Every structure is written in C-alpha cells, then in structure tokens.
C-alpha cells in the first residue's frame, strides 16, 4: 500500500501562487508516476498534471498549462505542484495519486492510491 498526504492548500487572491506537496510512504516512490487531479463542488474530477517516475516527463491539462509546474524529489518521496497566476476557476480540492507503471495517464480511473486532498480557494 501507499499512503499519500497532500499539503500546501489555502486561500489566495487571483494572480497569486501556491505550492502543493504530496508526501508518499509505503512503497518505492520511484516505481510510480504521480498525478494531480482536482474536483470543484458539483463538478467531476479533473486531470491537472502528471509526472513520470523519474521526473523526466510531464503533462498538463490545457487549462493549467504555462501556469502550473509539476516536479518530484524521489529522495524525499514527494511530488510538488507549483501553481502560479491562480484564477478563481482553479478553486477545488486537489488530490495527488499514484500510477504503478511506465506510463503517465490522464485518466484518474487508472490510478491506484489517492491522498485525502487539500483545498485551494482563489478569490477574485
């Protein structure tokens, strides 16, 4: 099993920045691609970003491309999501999740383990 704990959420004004962290424990962190997803009230879960096992490849949703950056530190078993130029529509609960394998999928149903989520609220 893998345990994931997100942190770093909060309330920020539009145009501001936040950095989310997701600390993993339980298995070899570098065996997993790591994804970030978000879910706003009344909306479906949405893919945000994914990073490959060694951090060499990333992919982003079009809505966050150029504003968000996903990175990881395998020595610290942690993945990060740097969010800049935040917009009110970025308001959601953000989740990290693991994918065991060599791909980096964007479909949340392919992911194995999920964190509890961290709230991000962007005020206008």
């Amino acid at each position: 099993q893998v345990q994931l704990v997100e942190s770093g959420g909060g309330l920020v004004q539009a145009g501001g920045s936040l950095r989310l962290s997701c600390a993993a424990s339980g298995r070899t962190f570098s065996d997993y691609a790591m994804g970030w997803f978000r879910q706003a009230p009344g909306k479906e879960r949405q893919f945000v970003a994914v990073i490959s096992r060694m951090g060499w490849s990333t992919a982003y949703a079009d809505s966050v491309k150029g504003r968000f950056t996903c990175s990881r530190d395998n020595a610290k078993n942690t993945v990060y999501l740097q969010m800049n130029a935040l917009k009110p529509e970025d308001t959601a609960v953000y989740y990290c999740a693991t994918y065991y394998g060599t791909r980096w999928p964007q479909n949340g149903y392919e992911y194995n383990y999920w964190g509890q989520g961290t709230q991000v609220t962007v005020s206008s």
Side-chain angles (χ1 to χ4, degrees):
Q1 272 214 333
V2 176
Q3 293 77 43
L4 302 172
V5 179
E6 300 99 334
S7 61
L11 173 64
V12 64
Q13 287 189 333
S17 298
L18 285 174
R19 188 174 85 151
L20 306 184
S21 299
C22 171
S25 61
R27 288 194 176 174
T28 304
F29 186 61
S30 58
D31 284 347
Y32 295 89
M34 297 298 298
W36 286 98
F37 296 81
R38 66 187 182 186
Q39 188 166 21
K43 295 189 176 181
E44 293 187 352
R45 184 177 59 199
Q46 178 185 33
F47 166 76
V48 176
V50 61
I51 187 166
S52 61
R53 294 183 302 171
M54 301 307 295
W56 296 334
S57 298
T58 54
Y60 299 92
D62 287 344
S63 58
V64 307
K65 204 171 291 184
R67 300 188 297 122
F68 289 13
T69 302
C70 185
S71 61
R72 67 190 293 163
D73 185 340
N74 286 352
K76 295 183 178 180
N77 290 354
T78 302
V79 62
Y80 305 97
L81 186 68
Q82 177 66 45
M83 305 186 296
N84 298 329
L86 283 161
K87 304 175 181 180
E89 51 263 43
D90 294 319
T91 295
V93 177
Y94 284 70
Y95 300 89
C96 63
T98 66
Y99 173 80
Y100 184 74
T102 57
R103 295 168 51 237
W104 48 97
Q106 300 184 16
N107 188 333
Y109 293 104
E110 298 193 63
Y111 285 73
N112 316 101
Y113 298 101
W114 294 78
Q116 84 289 348
T118 186
Q119 176 71 46
V120 171
T121 303
V122 185
S123 63
S124 56

